[in-house]
Amino acid sequence: MHAPGLKIVIPRNPIQTKGLLLASIRSPDPVIFFEPKILYRMSEDMVPVEDYTIPLDKAEVIREGKDITLVGYGASIRHLQMAAKMAEEKGVQCEIIDLRTVVPYDIETLEKSVKKTGRLLITHEAPLIAGAAADITANIHERCFLSLHAPVKRVCGYDTPFPFVYEPFYLPNRFRIFDGIMETMNY
């Protein structure tokens, strides 16, 4: 989160990758572009051939909901979508937001959503301490404190080093996210 003057972009799928990468190349500001490797193995989208860009400074609401806001970026969006389907079976309507640009992130879109739903869950693969979720949580508390019905929930990687073989146990998955959604809803 400490990258003054830099933009940090992390796409969620191949279509987003192309649009965000072209926008990053054309940006007058320096951009660090991260591509989650797992997306290479899960590519199912037909990427348009024509030239297009996606704004670097705007988060995307990829699913509307009224009960809780779920925020993530990159590969975590897929897990948010699966957890939202599980929550929907329990009657919980989740709004999902893809940050796309992690630094600087679109706080206005997050604020608008949290004021609507009253609840927020943030996920990312990085450790819990000093991750993007910590900064977003602080900003949301400053801007939406009186609108919150529950504390902000962070579902992140664990604060420990891990070898690649244990990655499935370390990374947040749909089950950990679903548990976080239900914990927040039942607060």
Side-chain angles (χ1 to χ4, degrees):
M1 297 304 299
H2 306 287
L6 294 175
K7 291 184 179 183
I8 299 175
V9 176
I10 306 176
R12 74 174 180 268
N13 62 33
I15 294 171
Q16 294 279 313
T17 299
K18 180 179 178 181
L20 291 168
L21 183 58
L22 290 173
S24 297
I25 291 168
R26 295 174 184 156
S27 174
D29 300 316
V31 178
I32 298 175
F33 193 91
F34 290 101
E35 292 178 297
K37 290 187 295 186
I38 195 162
L39 295 182
Y40 295 141
R41 296 186 295 272
M42 297 176 0
S43 178
E44 298 172 347
D45 298 326
M46 295 299 295
V47 179
V49 175
E50 68 271 0
D51 188 286
Y52 64 94
T53 60
I54 295 173
L56 296 179
D57 57 350
K58 190 74 177 137
E60 180 184 8
V61 177
I62 58 177
R63 178 180 172 155
E64 294 282 338
K66 65 177 183 64
D67 296 320
I68 185 170
T69 301
L70 309 179
V71 175
Y73 54 85
S76 67
I77 296 297
R78 182 172 165 266
H79 296 288
L80 285 175
Q81 291 171 320
M82 290 186 288
K85 284 182 184 175
M86 293 169 66
E88 191 171 35
E89 293 173 4
K90 300 287 187 185
V92 178
Q93 294 181 12
C94 302
E95 181 150 301
I96 302 175
I97 298 177
D98 179 3
L99 289 179
R100 299 193 292 204
T101 300
V102 181
V103 176
Y105 58 87
D106 178 7
I107 189 66
E108 289 79 20
T109 297
L110 301 181
E111 179 180 2
K112 181 180 175 186
S113 178
V114 171
K115 284 184 176 176
K116 177 175 79 172
T117 65
R119 296 173 183 87
L120 174 62
L121 180 144
I122 310 162
T123 189
H124 56 66
E125 297 177 353
L128 182 69
I129 294 177
D135 190 69
I136 293 168
T137 298
N139 272 309
I140 289 299
H141 275 273
E142 289 173 1
R143 294 167 174 252
C144 305
F145 184 73
L146 296 176
S147 300
L148 290 171
H149 303 308
V152 175
K153 180 68 176 172
R154 297 182 292 161
V155 180
C156 306
Y158 298 110
D159 293 319
T160 182
F162 67 97
F164 179 72
V165 70
Y166 293 120
E167 189 173 80
F169 304 106
Y170 171 84
L171 297 176
N173 59 32
R174 66 180 178 263
F175 302 110
R176 284 180 55 201
I177 294 168
F178 173 74
D179 289 344
I181 291 169
M182 297 315 293
E183 179 184 325
T184 304
M185 292 303 300
N186 295 323
Y187 179 79

